[in-house]
Amino acid sequence: MATRIGIGLLGLGTVGAGVASILSSPEGRHPLIADLQIAKVAVRDLNRPRPIELDPSLLTTDPQAVVDDPNVQVVVEVMGGIEPARTLIMRAIGAGKSVVTANKAVIARHGEEIAAAAAAAGVYVLIEAAVGGGIPIIEPLKQSLGGNRIQRVTGIINGTTNYILTRMAQEGANYNAVLKDAQDLGYAEADPAADVDGLDAADKIAILSGLAFGGPIDRSAIPTAGISALQSRDVDYATQLDYGVKLLATAERVDSPNTSTADSSTSQPLAVSVQPTLVPTDHPLAGVNGVNNAILVEGDPIGRVMFYGPGAGAGPTASAVVADILNIAGIRQLNDNDGNLDPLLAASSWRACHLVESNAIRQRNYVRFNTDDAPGVIGRIGSCFGDQGVSIQSIVQFDASDAGAEIVVITHEVSNGAMQAALSAITALPEVRGVAAHLGCL
Ligand code: NAP
Ligand code: HSE
């Protein structure tokens, strides 16, 4: 008979309850699930009503007791936050226990330290649920796409903001009301500013970037803009110009004369960013709506491959957590957990990576100017762009009234440095009142 594997849950909230629900109903699922047993569960409030009933003697308010419990062989960290989550993960590793976590905030900041400790201890720290909710993207990047030279990873990787943007665009729904719905549905982070300010997406693209390009990057240096300042008129104008607006996270290899793709000893420059971006309506990412996420990976020789599915919520996220538990359980049952880690499952990095200066990142841009409705203003704006070598794809005056005009410009691809120089010159024009919006554009 197979040995039972004790699971210690750190957290029984949205994701933890989803995991407990799968583990408590093994019928019709992978046979190994029947060998997994919830041994101990940490919560903050023992009296809080839960969507799943567990034996009350399993619950504790002491998360360290879960990690230290001799009946716990795999620790599942689904409590969130940086501390005490990081310390508990390190403690579990120190005790020789593998860890499954959905916590992208911890992994994006402390992933290197955690991976090094896990490798030294001969245990796994698996993170499939940390990016893309239920979408398998971590293991594909580690394993299935390993033969590719990845050029670019572009993703809608925050379910809350995609849900908000979709309902605002499709129903004209109110921002705060939809955010409240996203919280009630269990999509949002404990502090939803992490979602709407783009920080959660920045954590996730830092993790994807590390896997795709083979080395950790400085999470704190990622240029990040969320949707909290996005105005509905820009979504309307984008629609009229045949675009949708999505919060996109992008990580792209920047090849410079000093960087050889064959030489892993040189540091790989990467352009990484998170920002609201206009997406042409016929682009594969444009049809990704609601809480769904999608990650488009471009590599050589595969070309483009897109991973799509529910990006947040109890069931989808628990699906990813349980997949990781099963990987670890399968290896344990084969008695191969003696310090010889499966190189495809274990974390690895094979080169140094660094972010390029934000001014060197190249992209297309959407800009909305508030101006006087004066003759010649479009021409003068065009000249300022031309002086900096910024080529314009379209320039449209949308709304002329006594109060002024709104001029919307979409540029061709240009460096952020040239764009900023042009915007400085334009805002110095006497007819220009200011830049009302500046978004990316695919
Ligand atoms: P949640 O609903 O707020 O649940 C957190 C759980 O952890 C709660 O059960 C809470 O106890 C417990 N907890 C928190 N701090 C604790 C402490 N110091 N000691 C003991 N227990 C503690 O959060 P969630 O939405 O499940 O998210 C959990 C993690 O998964 C986060 O890292 C999040 O980023 C990640 N994630 C979430 C989703 C999603 O869709 N929600 C998707 C992917 C990844 P009480 O219940 O008693 O308060
Ligand atoms: N708050 C996150 C989101 C949860 O909305 O995408 C999934 O990581």
Side-chain angles (χ1 to χ4, degrees):
M1 191 181 130
T3 332
R4 302 279 269 177
I5 295 174
I7 306 299
L9 284 179
L10 297 173
L12 192 63
T14 301
V15 181
V19 172
S21 166
I22 295 177
L23 299 189
S24 307
S25 61
E27 309 75 31
R29 309 187 201 277
H30 194 289
L32 256 182
I33 292 185
D35 297 333
L36 306 174
Q37 185 160 36
I38 298 176
K40 203 93 193 153
V41 182
V43 294
R44 245 179 326 218
D45 178 357
L46 290 174
N47 298 315
R48 188 169 167 181
R50 312 268 166 200
I52 176 144
E53 248 182 65
L54 292 180
D55 175 352
S57 70
L58 296 179
L59 300 193
T60 173
T61 53
D62 178 4
Q64 202 169 299
V66 173
V67 173
D68 295 347
D69 190 316
N71 293 319
V72 167
Q73 279 90 45
V74 179
V75 172
V76 177
E77 188 277 299
V78 283
M79 66 198 302
I82 307 291
E83 286 294 356
R86 178 195 147 275
T87 300
L88 291 164
I89 290 171
M90 293 299 280
R91 188 176 178 94
I93 294 168
K97 300 184 182 187
S98 285
V99 175
V100 173
T101 179
N103 193 331
K104 53 272 169 161
V106 160
I107 297 300
R109 288 163 185 77
H110 302 289
E112 239 187 310
E113 171 198 21
I114 288 171
V123 298
Y124 296 98
V125 174
L126 300 189
I127 61 167
E128 188 59 72
V131 184
I135 305 172
I137 179 64
I138 300 291
E139 292 308 322
L141 276 178
K142 277 184 182 173
Q143 303 184 23
S144 326
L145 295 172
N148 287 270
R149 183 178 303 116
I150 307 294
Q151 182 60 31
R152 189 183 298 110
V153 178
T154 314
I156 295 170
I157 47 177
N158 182 267
T160 302
T161 47
N162 205 43
Y163 177 79
I164 294 172
L165 289 175
T166 302
R167 289 200 46 201
M168 285 175 72
Q170 293 183 348
E171 305 163 28
N174 169 274
Y175 175 91
N176 290 315
V178 198
L179 172 57
K180 167 84 173 53
D181 287 349
Q183 289 176 291
D184 292 346
L185 288 162
Y187 302 158
E189 295 301 303
D191 176 2
D195 295 295
V196 298
D197 291 338
L199 309 174
D200 177 77
D203 288 344
K204 291 166 175 170
I205 196 66
I207 293 170
L208 293 183
S209 183
L211 294 172
F213 301 108
I217 56 167
D218 178 4
R219 156 70 186 83
S220 64
I222 298 175
T224 304
I227 64 160
S228 44
L230 183 66
Q231 295 185 27
S232 56
R233 63 197 310 126
D234 291 306
V235 178
D236 293 345
Y237 290 162
T239 306
Q240 291 179 52
L241 294 166
D242 225 9
Y243 291 89
V245 179
K246 298 290 184 190
L247 184 66
L248 287 196
T250 305
E252 183 172 9
R253 177 194 295 274
V254 179
D255 289 322
S256 71
N258 300 328
T259 336
S260 154
T261 48
D263 179 6
S264 61
S265 66
T266 54
S267 180
Q268 172 63 56
L270 301 174
V272 183
S273 65
V274 175
Q275 64 183 334
T277 303
L278 272 68
V279 179
T281 49
D282 60 357
H283 189 280
L285 290 171
V288 177
N289 289 320
V291 71
N292 289 310
N293 284 190
I295 300 109
L296 187 64
V297 180
E298 294 168 61
D300 174 30
I302 192 168
R304 283 173 142 197
V305 57
M306 190 159 101
F307 298 81
Y308 168 83
T317 312
S319 158
V321 170
V322 173
D324 280 346
I325 299 174
L326 286 173
N327 269 327
I328 293 166
I331 286 170
R332 281 188 69 91
Q333 292 203 340
L334 284 174
N335 284 330
D336 194 18
N337 192 30
D338 53 3
N340 298 320
L341 293 175
D342 174 341
L344 288 176
L345 266 189
S348 68
S349 63
W350 67 90
R351 78 175 308 162
C353 294
H354 67 274
L355 297 183
V356 296
E357 286 289 315
S358 151
N359 271 350
I361 294 178
R362 295 180 65 81
Q363 63 172 22
R364 300 201 319 133
N365 299 268
Y366 163 101
V367 198
R368 175 164 56 89
F369 299 101
N370 284 334
T371 71
D372 296 339
D373 189 15
V377 64
I378 286 187
R380 279 190 283 285
I381 288 175
S383 298
C384 291
F385 276 126
D387 290 346
Q388 298 302 328
V390 177
S391 165
I392 293 174
Q393 182 199 301
S394 75
I395 182 162
V396 187
Q397 182 163 331
F398 263 102
D399 181 26
S401 69
D402 289 347
E406 290 200 306
I407 294 172
V408 168
V409 176
I410 293 181
T411 73
H412 288 293
E413 187 178 286
V414 61
S415 75
N416 284 351
M419 190 66 195
Q420 286 308 329
L423 292 180
S424 298
I426 291 167
T427 47
L429 293 173
E431 308 90 335
V432 174
R433 300 175 188 177
V435 175
H438 180 185
L439 312 176
C441 184
L442 276 191

PDB file of all heavy atoms in Angstrom, residues 61-78:
ATOM      1  N   THR A  61      -3.898  28.368  15.142  1.00  0.00           N
ATOM      2  CA  THR A  61      -3.544  29.747  14.767  1.00  0.00           C
ATOM      3  C   THR A  61      -2.024  29.922  14.764  1.00  0.00           C
ATOM      4  O   THR A  61      -1.531  31.040  14.590  1.00  0.00           O
ATOM      5  CB  THR A  61      -4.176  30.764  15.753  1.00  0.00           C
ATOM      6  OG1 THR A  61      -3.802  30.385  17.077  1.00  0.00           O
ATOM      7  CG2 THR A  61      -5.686  30.802  15.612  1.00  0.00           C
ATOM      8  N   ASP A  62      -1.295  28.821  14.941  1.00  0.00           N
ATOM      9  CA  ASP A  62       0.169  28.889  14.992  1.00  0.00           C
ATOM     10  C   ASP A  62       0.748  28.268  13.712  1.00  0.00           C
ATOM     11  O   ASP A  62       0.914  27.046  13.627  1.00  0.00           O
ATOM     12  CB  ASP A  62       0.659  28.135  16.238  1.00  0.00           C
ATOM     13  CG  ASP A  62       2.187  28.128  16.318  1.00  0.00           C
ATOM     14  OD1 ASP A  62       2.842  28.757  15.464  1.00  0.00           O
ATOM     15  OD2 ASP A  62       2.711  27.458  17.225  1.00  0.00           O
ATOM     16  N   PRO A  63       1.088  29.092  12.706  1.00  0.00           N
ATOM     17  CA  PRO A  63       1.566  28.520  11.435  1.00  0.00           C
ATOM     18  C   PRO A  63       2.860  27.730  11.584  1.00  0.00           C
ATOM     19  O   PRO A  63       3.098  26.770  10.844  1.00  0.00           O
ATOM     20  CB  PRO A  63       1.747  29.739  10.526  1.00  0.00           C
ATOM     21  CG  PRO A  63       1.708  30.932  11.405  1.00  0.00           C
ATOM     22  CD  PRO A  63       1.011  30.563  12.671  1.00  0.00           C
ATOM     23  N   GLN A  64       3.687  28.113  12.567  1.00  0.00           N
ATOM     24  CA  GLN A  64       4.936  27.378  12.776  1.00  0.00           C
ATOM     25  C   GLN A  64       4.653  25.935  13.189  1.00  0.00           C
ATOM     26  O   GLN A  64       5.404  25.019  12.839  1.00  0.00           O
ATOM     27  CB  GLN A  64       5.750  28.090  13.850  1.00  0.00           C
ATOM     28  CG  GLN A  64       7.221  27.772  13.784  1.00  0.00           C
ATOM     29  CD  GLN A  64       8.013  28.687  14.683  1.00  0.00           C
ATOM     30  OE1 GLN A  64       8.012  29.906  14.503  1.00  0.00           O
ATOM     31  NE2 GLN A  64       8.664  28.111  15.675  1.00  0.00           N
ATOM     32  N   ALA A  65       3.545  25.746  13.919  1.00  0.00           N
ATOM     33  CA  ALA A  65       3.190  24.393  14.366  1.00  0.00           C
ATOM     34  C   ALA A  65       2.865  23.510  13.166  1.00  0.00           C
ATOM     35  O   ALA A  65       3.088  22.291  13.202  1.00  0.00           O
ATOM     36  CB  ALA A  65       1.991  24.460  15.321  1.00  0.00           C
ATOM     37  N   VAL A  66       2.360  24.110  12.082  1.00  0.00           N
ATOM     38  CA  VAL A  66       2.076  23.334  10.863  1.00  0.00           C
ATOM     39  C   VAL A  66       3.390  22.884  10.234  1.00  0.00           C
ATOM     40  O   VAL A  66       3.574  21.711   9.891  1.00  0.00           O
ATOM     41  CB  VAL A  66       1.259  24.189   9.860  1.00  0.00           C
ATOM     42  CG1 VAL A  66       1.111  23.465   8.530  1.00  0.00           C
ATOM     43  CG2 VAL A  66      -0.095  24.541  10.450  1.00  0.00           C
ATOM     44  N   VAL A  67       4.305  23.830  10.107  1.00  0.00           N
ATOM     45  CA  VAL A  67       5.601  23.504   9.480  1.00  0.00           C
ATOM     46  C   VAL A  67       6.335  22.444  10.295  1.00  0.00           C
ATOM     47  O   VAL A  67       6.939  21.519   9.742  1.00  0.00           O
ATOM     48  CB  VAL A  67       6.453  24.798   9.365  1.00  0.00           C
ATOM     49  CG1 VAL A  67       7.857  24.482   8.880  1.00  0.00           C
ATOM     50  CG2 VAL A  67       5.778  25.799   8.424  1.00  0.00           C
ATOM     51  N   ASP A  68       6.266  22.555  11.619  1.00  0.00           N
ATOM     52  CA  ASP A  68       7.049  21.655  12.483  1.00  0.00           C
ATOM     53  C   ASP A  68       6.372  20.304  12.728  1.00  0.00           C
ATOM     54  O   ASP A  68       7.004  19.392  13.249  1.00  0.00           O
ATOM     55  CB  ASP A  68       7.288  22.330  13.849  1.00  0.00           C
ATOM     56  CG  ASP A  68       8.166  23.578  13.716  1.00  0.00           C
ATOM     57  OD1 ASP A  68       8.760  23.760  12.633  1.00  0.00           O
ATOM     58  OD2 ASP A  68       8.243  24.362  14.676  1.00  0.00           O
ATOM     59  N   ASP A  69       5.099  20.200  12.366  1.00  0.00           N
ATOM     60  CA  ASP A  69       4.357  18.961  12.670  1.00  0.00           C
ATOM     61  C   ASP A  69       5.019  17.760  11.973  1.00  0.00           C
ATOM     62  O   ASP A  69       5.189  17.754  10.746  1.00  0.00           O
ATOM     63  CB  ASP A  69       2.904  19.115  12.177  1.00  0.00           C
ATOM     64  CG  ASP A  69       2.019  17.986  12.679  1.00  0.00           C
ATOM     65  OD1 ASP A  69       2.462  16.814  12.634  1.00  0.00           O
ATOM     66  OD2 ASP A  69       0.892  18.265  13.115  1.00  0.00           O
ATOM     67  N   PRO A  70       5.377  16.718  12.748  1.00  0.00           N
ATOM     68  CA  PRO A  70       6.059  15.563  12.121  1.00  0.00           C
ATOM     69  C   PRO A  70       5.176  14.812  11.125  1.00  0.00           C
ATOM     70  O   PRO A  70       5.688  14.080  10.273  1.00  0.00           O
ATOM     71  CB  PRO A  70       6.402  14.663  13.327  1.00  0.00           C
ATOM     72  CG  PRO A  70       5.619  15.185  14.480  1.00  0.00           C
ATOM     73  CD  PRO A  70       5.252  16.602  14.210  1.00  0.00           C
ATOM     74  N   ASN A  71       3.848  15.027  11.206  1.00  0.00           N
ATOM     75  CA  ASN A  71       2.965  14.366  10.231  1.00  0.00           C
ATOM     76  C   ASN A  71       2.856  15.137   8.921  1.00  0.00           C
ATOM     77  O   ASN A  71       2.175  14.686   7.998  1.00  0.00           O
ATOM     78  CB  ASN A  71       1.559  14.196  10.824  1.00  0.00           C
ATOM     79  CG  ASN A  71       1.579  13.216  11.971  1.00  0.00           C
ATOM     80  OD1 ASN A  71       2.250  12.190  11.899  1.00  0.00           O
ATOM     81  ND2 ASN A  71       0.878  13.552  13.038  1.00  0.00           N
ATOM     82  N   VAL A  72       3.475  16.319   8.871  1.00  0.00           N
ATOM     83  CA  VAL A  72       3.431  17.124   7.636  1.00  0.00           C
ATOM     84  C   VAL A  72       4.702  16.878   6.839  1.00  0.00           C
ATOM     85  O   VAL A  72       5.808  17.136   7.307  1.00  0.00           O
ATOM     86  CB  VAL A  72       3.285  18.634   7.970  1.00  0.00           C
ATOM     87  CG1 VAL A  72       3.554  19.493   6.736  1.00  0.00           C
ATOM     88  CG2 VAL A  72       1.903  18.930   8.541  1.00  0.00           C
ATOM     89  N   GLN A  73       4.525  16.380   5.621  1.00  0.00           N
ATOM     90  CA  GLN A  73       5.694  16.179   4.741  1.00  0.00           C
ATOM     91  C   GLN A  73       5.791  17.259   3.669  1.00  0.00           C
ATOM     92  O   GLN A  73       6.860  17.593   3.196  1.00  0.00           O
ATOM     93  CB  GLN A  73       5.634  14.807   4.054  1.00  0.00           C
ATOM     94  CG  GLN A  73       6.110  13.657   4.909  1.00  0.00           C
ATOM     95  CD  GLN A  73       4.971  13.039   5.713  1.00  0.00           C
ATOM     96  OE1 GLN A  73       3.900  12.811   5.180  1.00  0.00           O
ATOM     97  NE2 GLN A  73       5.206  12.796   6.986  1.00  0.00           N
ATOM     98  N   VAL A  74       4.636  17.808   3.258  1.00  0.00           N
ATOM     99  CA  VAL A  74       4.640  18.872   2.239  1.00  0.00           C
ATOM    100  C   VAL A  74       3.892  20.080   2.814  1.00  0.00           C
ATOM    101  O   VAL A  74       2.761  19.940   3.290  1.00  0.00           O
ATOM    102  CB  VAL A  74       3.949  18.405   0.934  1.00  0.00           C
ATOM    103  CG1 VAL A  74       3.934  19.527  -0.103  1.00  0.00           C
ATOM    104  CG2 VAL A  74       4.639  17.168   0.377  1.00  0.00           C
ATOM    105  N   VAL A  75       4.543  21.240   2.770  1.00  0.00           N
ATOM    106  CA  VAL A  75       3.933  22.467   3.305  1.00  0.00           C
ATOM    107  C   VAL A  75       3.361  23.263   2.138  1.00  0.00           C
ATOM    108  O   VAL A  75       4.063  23.539   1.158  1.00  0.00           O
ATOM    109  CB  VAL A  75       4.984  23.299   4.072  1.00  0.00           C
ATOM    110  CG1 VAL A  75       4.412  24.656   4.469  1.00  0.00           C
ATOM    111  CG2 VAL A  75       5.476  22.533   5.294  1.00  0.00           C
ATOM    112  N   VAL A  76       2.077  23.627   2.240  1.00  0.00           N
ATOM    113  CA  VAL A  76       1.411  24.392   1.180  1.00  0.00           C
ATOM    114  C   VAL A  76       1.131  25.788   1.719  1.00  0.00           C
ATOM    115  O   VAL A  76       0.290  25.976   2.599  1.00  0.00           O
ATOM    116  CB  VAL A  76       0.103  23.688   0.762  1.00  0.00           C
ATOM    117  CG1 VAL A  76      -0.631  24.519  -0.285  1.00  0.00           C
ATOM    118  CG2 VAL A  76       0.410  22.302   0.209  1.00  0.00           C
ATOM    119  N   GLU A  77       1.898  26.753   1.200  1.00  0.00           N
ATOM    120  CA  GLU A  77       1.777  28.134   1.718  1.00  0.00           C
ATOM    121  C   GLU A  77       0.779  28.915   0.866  1.00  0.00           C
ATOM    122  O   GLU A  77       1.076  29.280  -0.268  1.00  0.00           O
ATOM    123  CB  GLU A  77       3.160  28.808   1.721  1.00  0.00           C
ATOM    124  CG  GLU A  77       3.180  30.156   2.404  1.00  0.00           C
ATOM    125  CD  GLU A  77       2.724  31.279   1.486  1.00  0.00           C
ATOM    126  OE1 GLU A  77       3.364  31.497   0.448  1.00  0.00           O
ATOM    127  OE2 GLU A  77       1.705  31.941   1.821  1.00  0.00           O
ATOM    128  N   VAL A  78      -0.411  29.126   1.418  1.00  0.00           N
ATOM    129  CA  VAL A  78      -1.445  29.900   0.714  1.00  0.00           C
ATOM    130  C   VAL A  78      -2.024  30.922   1.700  1.00  0.00           C
ATOM    131  O   VAL A  78      -3.222  31.116   1.776  1.00  0.00           O
ATOM    132  CB  VAL A  78      -2.549  28.982   0.122  1.00  0.00           C
ATOM    133  CG1 VAL A  78      -2.058  28.309  -1.130  1.00  0.00           C
ATOM    134  CG2 VAL A  78      -3.031  27.941   1.122  1.00  0.00           C
TER     135      VAL A  78
END
